[in-house]
């Protein structure tokens, strides 16, 4: 109650949770509930829902990042890194100087990631934290990646400002996220598939259709490629570019702190 009086706007239903309107203060708790529920089946569901496509998209992100193959020190922060797909790929393709920190707000997703990354030893570490207020000093990472994490956040601008803060000068920002389909007909087919098949699949495989309905709805609420480009620029980044994947079903945005 005291919190509501301090910031009445935060208690208004003024942000989206999928297609629902909820109070800003309530959204993160709802998102956390979704990932606590889906964590055990998260990786399997990704493969089933995307027919394995998410693996190609994640490999595209790592190729574009092009981490050094040498032993030169290279510090990656993978935000909303969940079960570790991006950080593990980066470590696999880079030299011995590379290390990765996965920062995620969900203890349940981190638990799965820790088990998967056990073989990486000290090169991989996990920190529980919020992308909107990262628990790291300024200018300590060479690269910041985020895959399918941004659309779950309440305050995108705050997260982008934080990304800029923790990157070193010359540091790279890469974001893989569902985006706006650019191919006529593909958008209709994609909508039909995602709104009908994915919640059913979520119900059958994970026993939870509501969480998967949220995941689909949150895709439609995320800014399109050009709008997101502008937001990244507003946070201070330069040389902002994007690449569409599979006709714009997903997109990778790249930017530099210069
Ligand atoms: C769809 S998963 C993506 C996981 C992984 N990056 C991948 O591509 O498979 C979204 C992740 O964002 C995390 N997340 C949601 N809100 C967050 C926040 N405010 N700060 C950090 N992580 C958050 C969730 O816990 C979840 O692990």
């Amino acid at each position: 109650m005291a919190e509501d009086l301090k910031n009445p706007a935060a208690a208004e239903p003024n942000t989206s949770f999928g297609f629902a309107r909820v109070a800003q203060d309530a959204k993160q708790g709802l998102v956390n509930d979704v990932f606590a529920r889906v964590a055990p089946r998260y990786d399997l569901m990704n493969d089933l829902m995307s027919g394995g496509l998410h693996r190609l998209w994640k490999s595209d992100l790592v190729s574009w990042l092009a981490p050094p193959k040498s032993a030169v020190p290279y510090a990656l922060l993978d935000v909303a890194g969940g079960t570790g797909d991006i950080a593990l790929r980066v470590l696999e393709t880079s030299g011995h100087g590379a290390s990765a920190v996965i920062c995620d707000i969900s203890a349940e997703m981190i638990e799965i990631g820790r088990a998967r990354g056990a073989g990486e030893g000290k090169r991989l570490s996990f920190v529980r934290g919020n992308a909107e207020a990262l628990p790291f000093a300024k200018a300590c990472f060479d690269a910041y990646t985020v895959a399918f994490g941004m659309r779950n956040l309440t305050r995108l601008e705050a997260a982008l400002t934080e990304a800029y803060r923790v990157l070193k000068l010359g540091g790279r920002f890469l974001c893989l996220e569902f985006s706006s389909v650019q191919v006529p007909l593909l958008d209709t087919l994609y909508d039909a598939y995602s709104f009908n098949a994915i919640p059913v699949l979520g119900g059958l495989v994970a026993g939870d259709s509501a969480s998967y309905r949220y995941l689909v709805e949150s895709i439609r609420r995320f800014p399109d490629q050009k709008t997101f480009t502008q937001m990244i620029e507003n946070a201070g980044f330069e040389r902002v570019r994007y690449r569409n994947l599979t006709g714009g079903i997903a997109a990778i945005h790249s930017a530099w702190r210069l």
Side-chain angles (χ1 to χ4, degrees):
M1 183 62 157
E3 281 303 309
D4 293 354
L5 289 175
K6 258 191 263 162
N7 181 9
E12 294 292 318
N14 56 3
T15 195
S16 62
F17 174 72
F19 288 165
R21 300 300 289 170
V22 299
Q24 273 199 10
D25 283 358
K27 176 167 171 170
Q28 189 67 60
L30 296 167
V31 168
N32 294 351
D33 289 347
V34 165
F35 288 102
R37 285 197 299 267
V38 305
R41 294 287 166 112
Y42 177 78
D43 291 318
L44 171 66
M45 276 299 290
N46 268 354
D47 279 335
L48 292 176
M49 286 184 304
S50 74
L53 260 181
H54 77 106
R55 292 173 181 256
L56 301 180
W57 296 338
K58 286 169 178 167
S59 296
D60 282 345
L61 179 144
V62 177
S63 303
W64 203 4
L65 178 64
K69 303 259 183 227
S70 65
V72 62
Y74 181 77
L76 167 77
L77 174 64
D78 184 34
V79 170
T83 60
D85 268 1
I86 297 294
L88 288 171
R89 276 175 171 74
V90 170
L91 292 179
E92 211 171 274
T93 58
S94 55
H96 292 307
S99 60
V101 178
I102 290 179
C103 177
D104 196 289
I105 207 164
S106 161
E108 293 81 0
M109 293 291 278
I110 285 181
E111 196 184 319
I112 311 265
R114 265 191 217 284
R116 286 183 65 200
E120 295 295 337
K122 289 195 175 137
R123 295 178 83 204
L124 179 62
S125 53
F126 292 83
V127 173
R128 204 167 158 211
N130 191 334
E132 297 165 20
L134 290 171
F136 305 104
K138 64 178 184 182
C140 52
F141 293 99
D142 296 290
Y144 172 117
T145 53
V146 57
F148 305 118
M150 280 283 169
R151 74 179 193 282
N152 297 295
L153 305 181
T154 308
R155 300 168 188 89
L156 262 185
E157 286 88 354
L160 291 168
T161 302
E162 281 291 87
Y164 189 83
R165 183 183 67 80
V166 300
L167 277 172
K168 297 176 187 171
L169 219 58
R172 180 86 180 274
F173 168 90
L174 277 174
C175 171
L176 167 61
E177 191 48 90
F178 289 107
S179 203
S180 172
V181 177
Q182 304 294 306
V183 180
L185 207 66
L186 180 61
D187 52 353
T188 316
L189 291 172
Y190 175 57
D191 267 5
Y193 168 71
S194 41
F195 283 108
N196 297 303
I198 288 182
V200 172
L201 208 57
L204 289 174
V205 178
D208 182 2
S209 58
S211 291
Y212 285 91
R213 188 164 302 112
Y214 156 74
L215 290 172
V216 173
E217 290 176 1
S218 63
I219 293 171
R220 302 304 186 276
R221 286 277 171 260
F222 194 71
D224 66 20
Q225 291 86 331
K226 290 206 167 96
T227 310
F228 193 46
T229 297
Q230 188 60 60
M231 293 174 80
I232 298 169
E233 283 171 354
N234 292 347
F237 285 100
E238 292 183 47
R239 289 167 57 192
V240 187
R241 308 271 183 278
Y242 69 85
R243 291 178 182 171
N244 285 324
L245 306 174
T246 320
I249 289 180
I252 302 173
H253 282 75
S254 160
W256 296 84
R257 178 177 182 172
L258 296 175

